[in-house]
Amino acid sequence: MIPLLVGATTNVTAKNPILPQTNEIIWTVIAFVIAFFILAKFAFPAMKKGLQARQDKIRGDLERAEQARNEAEATLAGYQKQVADARGEATRIIEEARQAAEGVRKDLIARAESDAAEVRQRAQEDSQLASSRAMSELRTQVASLSVDLAEKIVEHNLDHDTQMGLIENYINSVGNGNGSRRR
């Protein structure tokens, strides 16, 4: 082992760990300049061109997206207008159907009322006809009974014209409500 001498000084200069040697600095600068020149000549224009192309592509994509959005909004507005028009048309059709149904209902009611009035009129006419037939039959029966009765009372046969005149007078007096009996 090497003995340590106390108090001995050596004149050896130590290397600085932070600063490199001068020749290394010169070669590093030359290499940097050459690398920078090559990059500036070939790589930077290609990178700049690539970045410009990318920027143009992004700008174009954004413009196409904006155009597509505007078209979509226009299409949506068109669809909304069509839906609103369809709703309006449906409302109009429903209203027309309601009005038509109301017209049909009123027509059916009017027709039913007309038919009912005709039925009532026919019933009244039938009733009057039946009443007049019944009155006619009653007159005939009363006339016949009157003639029979008159023959029995008078005991002789009156001629046919006289009998008919008496019968008509009696029927008219009964029909008019005079009700006065002759003896």
Side-chain angles (χ1 to χ4, degrees), residues 111 131 159:
R111 198 176 309 151
S131 174
D159 67 290

Side-chain angles (χ1 to χ4, degrees), residues 83-143:
V83 167
D85 290 346
R87 284 185 181 147
E89 181 72 15
T91 303
R92 183 186 63 78
I93 289 170
I94 289 170
E95 186 58 34
E96 286 178 0
R98 281 187 190 141
Q99 290 174 355
E102 183 65 24
V104 168
R105 185 184 70 82
K106 286 180 181 178
D107 188 39
L108 288 174
I109 289 172
R111 198 176 309 151
E113 287 175 353
S114 172
D115 291 347
E118 286 179 21
V119 167
R120 273 189 245 118
Q121 180 67 29
R122 274 191 250 130
Q124 286 177 349
E125 289 172 359
D126 289 348
S127 172
Q128 288 175 353
L129 184 61
S131 174
S132 94
R133 281 185 189 157
M135 284 299 286
S136 175
E137 287 178 13
L138 183 62
R139 281 183 184 171
T140 305
Q141 288 177 359
V142 167

